[in-house]
């Protein structure tokens, strides 16, 4: 009678007893990551909204109490922006991964369905991947962060932790990813797991991103500096082995990808998918209020006359113009046949095209076409990113010609008409900066609303983010401020350099 | 010598028989209710005596010069010299609450004279036949140290009760208002009741369990206030213990009685709302003022305001009235009792029905009680079975948590002409009762008392208590924006089993029997569970379907069930000792082990000691004994506990299936189809093996005096309660991944004085009129002594800007406000900072660097931190805000006055609360809610209060009390967190007036009745209050906020009859 146990949930002593438990915990880690990244559209607000109103026009701010435009001008010190400044929720996910890694060796062998060794490796590999992803996100947004690799045995002791040097954090991420790669296979056990369950290629793709970040931002922090070549080379090796594996890439006859297949890439689990968050409609996991749906309206979305968001002028007119100028005069034009123009923009020629990259709508109430849900996964790493990184690496390596030909073939794969024209205005001269600019432009076209253009701009030092001036960049102004609430309980914390005194 | 002695002895033996004994008859009556059966009549100096029969008659033989002692529990003892009389008519005077009584001190009763504890008591008949759904409401103003605020007029709802101050501390705003003050422990017929936390009012029917007890079945209520009394309830005694005894049988021929009353409940004074042309005029004036220099005044003015000829817009609909009604209240009680000295029985049935003044709200209670007593011939063994059955039905108005949001500020403008359809949208949930809430309660217990010897007895009490509750809600499609009907069903079962066994030892020692000792040792076990099953369906096919059946699968069908269990094992003991009834000592100890604590801290021990000195028994006081019948000093110290509301603190709890994310909308339990399990990242995720009991050290010192043989009584108690290690959420390090954990981190102190005066008769003895005044006052000061995380202040509130603070040195839930200094008459009045040259400014929403000086017509705020800016949107700690005011009442009490004249009685009760602050959120909302309404459209759509009498700033130079009406300024100077909206919550209420007439016995004879009494009562008669701006200063939530969406307290008028056969 004096020992009552909860029956409405499980608890630490009773859990962690079988492979099945570990899988539920792993699902918990994924769900926690999903919640972390999508909280108040964190992913898209940070990765895309930061690019300013030339990309996204806010007509009514869905979050942040009408102060959404502060993100577009880089004012992260303003009210309501705690979702960007407070790292607590990410540490919940880290706690979950640390618990899994701590408990995994203790799970009895006989509870594994198949080979226990393989089963353990599979869980450990995925867990390390999730933890690395979270630390990489923290590293990119805050720089130094407390590095915690085991669950706190006594959280009530309330022992404050200082921030760990970012060089140590990044090294830990790389080591963890090495371990994860050793645990996982390149192949998918089940084809339908593509993307939502990371495999070895996903680990390598993330690791390539981490190496590039270290090469460009951590080791060479100045805006004017070029990257550290040792890390670039490591990233290059990883990228090449992903591409050479042949596991990825949509069918491309004549070098032009199948546009029907391509359109499915944004629904999820295709040969484009490397790592994505499961947010499809099944099991009630769909979304009805994420940023992509806020672009939609009639006739793409029934009964919605007005969308909260519109595409910015620069995005529509510069990235996807109706005609492409191919010569010296404005008469030398060709119609824009880029398949993305039709796939991403509905009514591209109209005054206010609709952004339809994510528009796989399911109506919860089909009779009345009411309560729309998006049946699209949220992509975090895609094969196109690997291809674009390869060009970027080639530029860093000084192989400008290779980079250029890769860019040309990438553009051709999307059926951009001007690629074969020697008159194309931006093709010459081939310089380090002009090529990186072109690659960044291509990234903007391809990866818009995938939550990473901001970090691409920081890494490639391109100034696509209008407010990130070189001066601010050199004060580490691309990092976010720490939430003042974090200091309440922790006297060891120090504010980021650029934000000290501003918040 | 021997002969003389022998002769003397013989003479002594002969003497009594020498005088001829005579037969004496008589009748004993109570001045109010007629004959008193069971009263004791004794010959003084002799053990002979008889008991009156059921008509109050007695007969005995006695010497003609004998003195008769007449006594009856609850009445003043009388002595009558026979002086040869053979018939006496004796009227006994009631003595409720005075010193002749016994008081309950937990598992024992003691004579009040010998009590060393602070106990307030009332008798059941003091609260009889007053129309109230739940008896706690009736305790208001009747007991010192017990602060009852009837903050809601909802029938059957629980008021807030605190015994000697607020000990509850919460780190966030609780919309569940019952949890803000820790409730005392209720003990009904020796059975501690459910821990309320098991089923909060937001689960299932949410009906107040205590309302299942028929107030007319209560024999007595004793409130244990200090540790000396309450420590025997150990871990649950810290907030006071309220002990209720229900009525029991008496011996005699069967006596039937029926009591019935009926009456009206009437809508009280509501808020003023302008209607029709008055609203139109007022709105146009306010609108023109607000848009004075603005072209909008001409272009934006809404059609609703201007088009008085439009038949759709020229109505005078008083929406507020549409939600209210006048109703009826009815009550019938029936009981019969009787029996022999070996077997008694009592059966009673009751019915109470009260219509709420809000449509579709109301409360019905059906009760059936049976108790009996079976005794062996020598009285050594007694078995007492007791069964209480109750059914409660509750109407909940709209069925939403907010009773009727539409009556608050979002009430539509009176100018709209409501058609059937729109009326249905607004009132649909009120006009038909679609929300059915029933609670069926079964309380049964059997107690066995075994007398082992003259000194030692054993008692065992075993009880079961069940509450079966059901809530069925069905909402037609019309009220769901035509998206189909919805239905939900919630079914709960609470079960509690208690067994309590004790040994009681009484002994008297010494030559002169000067040592009296009394000890009890016992054990108690209580085990409670709560289970709930909930199902809900949306988007149904037909309004006809009122259960969860046939709803579409997927997100529209939801089901869950829950389970919680709690067990507590206790050992308790107490020793009372007195020397010559003059020096009194008492000590008690209780040990509790509760399932809610981890293995390291299962047991908590709660000791108490107390002592009393009956000064009036001392020889040197004898000479005052003619007028000073009693003078007693007493003191106590003890440790009391409080149980946490969480049952599974010792586990690191996991969250199963909480896989929702921001934007998901459907609350998934899976990731990629796999159920997710994680620790509870918010709170509960950290096991609390070491958490220990919340303990309160309680000091009490008291004085009691009784004058003129009980005619006057006075008591005063001074106390200090230090609540240590209050369980409060502490913020953990952000890097642990878990937000908060409960910790023993906060300390509170309550200190104060309870005073009690009783004038049993103000009039001279011989007067036919008897006038009784009972007066009690309680003063309590509440202070936060320490807070967790190194005394970090915590602010919280229900609004965007936090309105309350927990800070060291201030009372719990102190207001946290900007100081309002007035209204700027002109722009030039806005001060300029002499260093920066900048005008004093409003902090902009999004940019502190921008320049937004205050303007004429806006409130003047004190710039406490001197930075030249008032941040408009600082949710947390702000440099310009300070702790201010106190929502906890300082002084509360009541005055009861009763007049007895011949067969008439007349009485009234007044209750009062002084020194309490109230934040008038209703008013701040009235003025401040349109700050974002740039066009004034919203302003024209909603109802408006009568503001014409208010001194509102209109043009530069106005010396106004109220700032200019804020429509579309985006400057938010009518924010709620300012002292301008703080009001004095003092009130003095004539709570009820009652009168009664009892028919004379002679008149009853031909009717074959034993008793016939007519009575009437007015409840909630009138309130005098300090604030002119609050409709009812008591109708204020426990945070000290009045927000206009509460349930007003109705006036009630009843007439009744009480018949005895």
């Amino acid at each position: 009678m004096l020992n009552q146990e909860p029956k409405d949930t499980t608890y630490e002593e009773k859990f962690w007893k079988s492979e099945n438990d570990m899988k539920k915990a792993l699902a918990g880690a994924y769900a926690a990551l999903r919640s972390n990244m999508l909280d108040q559209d964190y992913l898209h607000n940070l990765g895309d909204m930061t690019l300013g109103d030339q990309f996204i026009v806010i007509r009514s701010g869905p979050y942040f109490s009408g102060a959404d435009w502060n993100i577009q001008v880089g004012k992260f010190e303003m009210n309501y922006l705690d979702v960007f400044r407070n790292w607590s929720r990410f540490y919940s996910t880290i706690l979950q991964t640390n618990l899994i890694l701590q408990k995994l060796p203790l799970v009895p062998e006989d509870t594994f369905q198949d080979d226990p060794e393989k089963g353990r490796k599979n869980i450990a590999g995925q867990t390390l991947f999730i933890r690395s992803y979270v630390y990489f996100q923290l590293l990119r947004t805050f720089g130094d962060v407390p590095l915690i690799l085991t669950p706190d045995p006594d959280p009530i002791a309330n022992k404050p932790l200082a921030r760990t040097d970012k060089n140590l954090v990044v090294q830990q991420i790389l080591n963890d990813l090495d371990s994860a790669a050793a645990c996982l296979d390149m192949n998918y056990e089940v084809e339908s797991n593509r993307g939502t369950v990371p495999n070895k290629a996903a680990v390598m793709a993330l690791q390539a991103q981490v190496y590039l970040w270290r090469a460009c931002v951590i080791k060479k922090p100045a805006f004017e500096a070029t990257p550290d070549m040792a890390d670039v080379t490591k990233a290059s090796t990883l990228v090449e082995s992903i591409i050479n594996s042949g596991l990825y890439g949509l069918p491309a006859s004549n070098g032009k990808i199948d546009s029907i297949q391509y359109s499915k890439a944004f629904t999820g689990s295709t040969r484009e998918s490397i790592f994505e968050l499961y947010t499809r409609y099944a099991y009630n996991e769909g979304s009805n209020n994420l940023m992509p749906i806020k672009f939609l309206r009639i006739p793409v979305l029934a009964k919605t006359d007005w969308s909260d968001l519109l595409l910015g002028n620069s995005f529509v007119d510069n990235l996807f113009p109706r005609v492409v100028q191919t010569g010296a005069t404005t008469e030398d034009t060709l119609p824009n046949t880029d398949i993305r123009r039709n796939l991403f923009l509905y009514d591209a020629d109209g005054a206010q095209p609709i952004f339809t990259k994510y528009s796989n709508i399911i109506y919860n109430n089909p009779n009345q076409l009411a309560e729309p849900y998006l049946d699209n996964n949220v992509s975090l790493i895609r094969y196109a990113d690997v291809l674009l990184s390869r060009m970027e690496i080639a530029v860093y390596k000084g192989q400008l010609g290779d980079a250029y030909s890769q860019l040309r073939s990438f553009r051709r794969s999307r059926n951009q008409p001007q690629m074969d024209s020697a008159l194309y205005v931006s093709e010459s001269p081939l310089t380090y900066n002009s090529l990186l600019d072109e690659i960044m432009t291509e990234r903007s076209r391809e990866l818009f609303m995938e939550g990473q253009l901001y970090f691409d701009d920081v890494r490639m030092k391109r100034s696509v983010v209008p407010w990130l001036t070189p001066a601010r960049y050199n004060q580490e102004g691309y990092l976010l401020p720490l939430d003042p609430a974090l200091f309440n309980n922790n006297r060891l914390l120090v504010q980021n350099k650029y934000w000290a005194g501003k918040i | 010598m021997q002969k003389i002695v022998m002769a003397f002895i013989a003479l002594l033996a002969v003497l009594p028989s020498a005088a001829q004994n005579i037969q004496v008859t008589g009748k004993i009556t109570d001045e109010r209710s007629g004959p008193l059966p069971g009263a004791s009549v004794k010959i003084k100096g002799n053990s002979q005596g008889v008991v009156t029969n059921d008509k109050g008659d007695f007969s005995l033989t006695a010497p003609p010069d004998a003195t008769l002692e007449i006594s009856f529990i609850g009445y003043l003892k009388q002595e009558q010299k026979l002086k040869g009389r053979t018939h006496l008519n004796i009227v006994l005077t009631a003595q409720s609450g005075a010193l002749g009584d016994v008081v309950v001190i937990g598992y024992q009763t003691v004579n009040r004279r010998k009590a060393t504890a602070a106990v307030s008591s009332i008798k059941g008949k003091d609260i009889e036949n007053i129309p109230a759904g739940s008896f706690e409401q009736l305790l208001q103003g009747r007991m010192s140290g017990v602060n009852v605020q009837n903050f809601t007029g909802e029938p059957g709802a629980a008021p807030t009760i605190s015994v000697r101050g607020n000990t509850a501390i919460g780190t966030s705003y609780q919309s569940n208002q019952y949890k803000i003050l820790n409730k005392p422990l209720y003990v009904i017929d020796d059975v501690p009741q459910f821990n309320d936390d098991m089923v909060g009012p937001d689960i299932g029917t949410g009906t107040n369990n205590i309302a299942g007890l028929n107030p007319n079945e209560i024999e007595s209520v004793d409130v244990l206030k200090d540790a000396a009394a309450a420590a025997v309830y150990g871990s649950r005694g810290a907030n006071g213990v309220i002990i209720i005894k229900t009525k029991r049988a008496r011996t005699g021929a069967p006596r039937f009685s029926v009591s019935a009353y009926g009456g009206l409940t009437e809508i009280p004074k509501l808020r003023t709302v302008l209607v029709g042309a008055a609203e139109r005029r007022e709105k146009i004036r306010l609108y023109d003022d607000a848009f004075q220099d603005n072209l909008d005044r001409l272009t934006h003015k809404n059609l609703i305001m201007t088009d008085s000829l439009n038949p759709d817009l020229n109505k005078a609909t008083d929406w507020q009235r549409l939600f209210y009604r006048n109703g009826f209240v009815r009550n019938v009680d029936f009981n019969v009792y009787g029996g022999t000295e070996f077997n008694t029985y009592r059966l009673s049935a009751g019915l109470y029905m009260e219509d709420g003044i809000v449509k579709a709200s109301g409360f019905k209670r059906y009760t059936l009680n049976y108790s009996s007593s079976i005794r062996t011939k020598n009285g050594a063994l007694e078995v007492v079975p007791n069964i209480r059955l109750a059914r409660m039905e509750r109407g909940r108005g709209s069925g939403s948590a907010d009773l009727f949001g539409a009556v608050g500020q979002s009430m539509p403008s009176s100018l709209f002409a409501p058609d059937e359809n729109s009326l249905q949208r607004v009132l649909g949930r009120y006009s038909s009762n679609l929300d059915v809430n029933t609670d069926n309660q079964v309380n049964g217990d059997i107690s066995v008392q075994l007398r082992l010897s003259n000194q030692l007895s054993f008692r065992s009490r075993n009880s079961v208590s069940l509450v079966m509750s059901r809530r069925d809600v069905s909402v037609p499609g019309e009220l769901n924006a035509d998206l189909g009907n919805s239905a939900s069903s919630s079914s709960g079962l609470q079960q509690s089993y208690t067994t309590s066994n004790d040994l009681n030892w009484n002994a008297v020692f010494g030559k002169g029997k000067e040592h009296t000792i009394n000890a009890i040792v016992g054990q108690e076990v209580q085990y409670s569970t709560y289970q709930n099953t909930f199902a809900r369906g949306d988007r149904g096919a037909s309004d006809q379907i009122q259960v969860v059946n046939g709803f579409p699968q997927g997100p529209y069908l939801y089901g869950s069930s829950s389970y919680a269990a709690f067990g507590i094992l206790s050992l308790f003991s107490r020793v009372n000792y007195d020397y010559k009834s003059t020096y009194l000592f008492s000590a008690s100890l209780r040990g509790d082990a509760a399932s809610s604590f981890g293995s390291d801290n299962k047991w908590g021990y709660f000791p108490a000691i107390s002592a009393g000195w009956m000064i009036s028994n001392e020889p040197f006081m004898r000479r005052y004994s003619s007028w000073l019948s009693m003078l007693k000093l007493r003191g106590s110290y003890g440790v009391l506990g409080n149980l946490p509301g969480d049952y599974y603190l010792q586990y690191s709890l996991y969250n199963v299936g909480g896989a929702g994310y921001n934007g998901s909308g459907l609350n998934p339990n899976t990731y990629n189809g796999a159920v997710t399990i994680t620790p509870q990242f918010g709170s509960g995720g950290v096991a609390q093996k070491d958490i220990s009991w919340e303990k309160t050290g309680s000091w009490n010192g008291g004085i009691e005096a009784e004058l003129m043989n009980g005619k006057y009584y006075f008591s005063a108690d001074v106390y200090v309660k230090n609540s240590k290690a209050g369980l409060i959420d502490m913020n953990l390090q952000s890097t642990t991944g878990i937000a908060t954990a409960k910790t023993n981190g906060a300390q509170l102190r309550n200190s104060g004085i309870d005073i009690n005066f009783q004038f049993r008769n103000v009039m001279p003895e011989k007067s036919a009129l008897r006038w009784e005044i009972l007066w009690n006052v309680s003063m309590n000061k509440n202070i936060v002594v320490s807070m967790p995380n190194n005394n970090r202040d915590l602010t919280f509130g229900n609004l965007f800007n936090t309105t309350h603070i927990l800070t060291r040195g201030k009372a719990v839930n102190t207001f946290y406000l900007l100081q309002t200094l007035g209204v700027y008459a002109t722009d030039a009045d806005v001060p300029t900072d002499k260093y920066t040259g900048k005008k004093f400014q409003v902090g902009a929403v999004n940019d502190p660097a921008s320049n937004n000086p205050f303007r004429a017509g806006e409130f003047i705020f004190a710039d406490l931190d001197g930075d030249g800016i008032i941040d408009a949107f600082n949710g947390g700690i702000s440099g310009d805000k300070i702790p201010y005011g106190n929502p906890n009442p300082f002084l509360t009490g009541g005055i009861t006055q009763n007049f007895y004249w011949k067969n008439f009685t007349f009485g009234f009760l007044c209750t009062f609360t002084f020194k309490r602050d109230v934040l008038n959120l209703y008013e701040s909302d009235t003025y401040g809610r349109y700050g974002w309404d740039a066009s004034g459209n919203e302003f024209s759509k909603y109802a408006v209060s009568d503001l014409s009498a208010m001194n509102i700033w209109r043009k530069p130079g106005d010396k106004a009390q109220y700032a200019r009406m804020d429509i579309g300024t985006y400057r938010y100077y009518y924010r709620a967190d300012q002292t301008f909206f703080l009001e004095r919550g003092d009130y003095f209420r004539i709570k009820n007036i009652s009168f009664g007439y009892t028919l004379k016995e002679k008149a009853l004879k031909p009717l074959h009745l034993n008793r016939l009494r007519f009575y009437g009562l007015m409840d909630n008669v009138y309130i005098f209050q300090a604030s002119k701006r609050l409709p009812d200063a008591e109708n204020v939530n426990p945070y000290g906020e009045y927000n206009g969406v509460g349930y007003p307290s109705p006036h009630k008028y009843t007439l009744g009859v009480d018949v005895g056969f």
Side-chain angles (χ1 to χ4, degrees), chain B residues 33 189 564 704 798 900 1043 1047:
Chain B
S33 51
D189 289 334
E704 279 181 78
N798 198 20
Y900 304 96
N1043 56 15
Y1047 199 120

Side-chain angles (χ1 to χ4, degrees), chain B residues 9-22 46 48 62-65:
Chain B
I9 291 171
L11 187 67
L12 274 180
V14 168
L15 258 178
S17 56
Q20 188 61 47
N21 277 358
I22 54 168
N46 187 327
Q48 280 182 44
D65 59 345

Side-chain angles (χ1 to χ4, degrees), chain A residues 9 78 92 156 285 371 488, chain B residues 539 654 670 688 737 792 846:
Chain A
T9 187
M78 291 307 181
S92 295
I156 298 179
E285 292 183 58
E371 295 184 59
N488 279 346
Chain B
R539 308 285 193 272
Y654 282 10
T670 51
Q688 303 272 54
R792 185 166 297 280
N846 292 307

Side-chain angles (χ1 to χ4, degrees), chain B residues 216-234:
Chain B
N216 284 357
E217 283 294 301
I218 292 176
E219 176 70 36
S220 67
V221 180
D222 294 270
V223 179
L224 313 184
K225 298 187 291 189
D226 72 344
V232 78
Y233 286 102

Side-chain angles (χ1 to χ4, degrees), chain B residues 693-748:
Chain B
W693 296 79
E694 198 170 318
K695 287 187 174 178
T696 296
S698 171
W699 293 93
N700 188 79
I703 181 166
E704 279 181 78
E706 188 188 84
L707 279 70
M708 315 294 286
N709 222 351
K711 196 170 172 188
Y712 304 108
Y713 170 78
F714 166 78
S715 75
D717 281 276
V718 181
Y719 62 88
V720 179
K721 267 168 59 174
N722 285 305
S723 307
K724 282 176 196 151
L727 290 179
I728 190 168
D729 283 325
M730 177 179 74
N731 292 324
L732 299 178
Q733 289 296 322
S734 60
T735 49
T736 58
I738 297 199
T740 63
K742 282 255 185 303
T743 175
N744 296 114
Q747 290 190 38
L748 285 178

Side-chain angles (χ1 to χ4, degrees), chain A residues 1-13 15-16 23-25 27-32 34-35 38-40 63 65-67 69-70 75 78-80 87-88 91-93 95-96 99 146 148 152 155-156 158-161 193 196-197 276-279 281 283-290 364-365 368 370-371 373 486-490, chain B residues 482-483 525-527 539 554-556 561-563 565-569 593-597 602-603 647-648 650-656 658-681 686-689 730-738 741-743 789 792 800 844-848 871 873:
Chain A
M1 191 200 73
L2 289 178
N3 292 307
Q4 295 298 328
E5 291 170 10
K7 292 186 183 177
D8 55 352
T9 187
T10 181
Y11 53 96
E12 186 171 5
E13 290 83 352
F15 193 64
W16 310 111
K23 285 186 169 169
K24 301 285 179 281
Y30 281 119
R34 174 171 69 186
S35 164
L38 301 182
D39 193 5
Q40 301 191 345
Y63 290 117
S65 291
W69 60 86
N70 283 326
K75 291 193 152 209
M78 291 307 181
N79 289 325
Y80 313 113
W87 61 37
S88 300
Y91 279 98
S92 295
T93 309
L95 169 66
Q96 177 76 354
L99 277 168
I148 294 159
D152 187 342
I156 298 179
N158 221 359
K159 196 166 154 268
L161 280 178
N193 274 350
T196 52
V197 174
E276 51 198 28
L277 294 171
Y278 189 89
T279 51
Y281 183 73
Y283 318 108
N284 288 353
E285 292 183 58
S287 70
N288 64 349
N289 200 26
L290 286 185
N364 221 344
N365 187 343
Q368 305 184 11
E371 295 184 59
Y373 276 76
L486 295 175
F487 296 82
N488 279 346
N489 217 2
N490 188 342
Chain B
D482 287 326
L483 286 170
V525 177
Q526 188 165 32
Y527 176 65
R539 308 285 193 272
Y556 299 127
S561 68
S562 69
Y563 173 91
F566 169 67
I568 184 165
L569 166 68
S595 65
S596 44
F597 288 109
K602 275 263 185 264
W603 283 91
Y647 296 106
Y648 302 111
Q650 77 264 38
Y651 301 104
S652 288
L653 294 177
Y654 282 10
N655 181 6
V656 178
Y661 58 92
N662 201 315
S664 73
L666 295 174
N667 290 319
N669 286 329
T670 51
Y671 182 84
N672 203 356
V675 173
T676 61
I677 296 182
T678 64
Q680 290 186 1
F681 295 135
V686 179
Q688 303 272 54
K689 304 271 186 221
M730 177 179 74
N731 292 324
L732 299 178
Q733 289 296 322
S734 60
T735 49
T736 58
I738 297 199
K742 282 255 185 303
T743 175
N789 290 1
R792 185 166 297 280
F800 187 80
V845 182
N846 292 307
D847 193 353
D871 192 339
F873 282 91

Side-chain angles (χ1 to χ4, degrees), chain B residues 2 63 103 470 493 511 518 578 605 731 791 805 834 859 921 987 1034:
Chain B
Q2 202 177 17
V103 290
R470 260 202 90 79
L493 175 64
K511 282 184 218 158
N518 156 260
D578 70 76
Y605 297 95
N731 292 324
N791 287 314
I805 189 166
K834 60 183 170 183
F859 281 121
L921 300 183
Y987 69 87
E1034 188 179 357

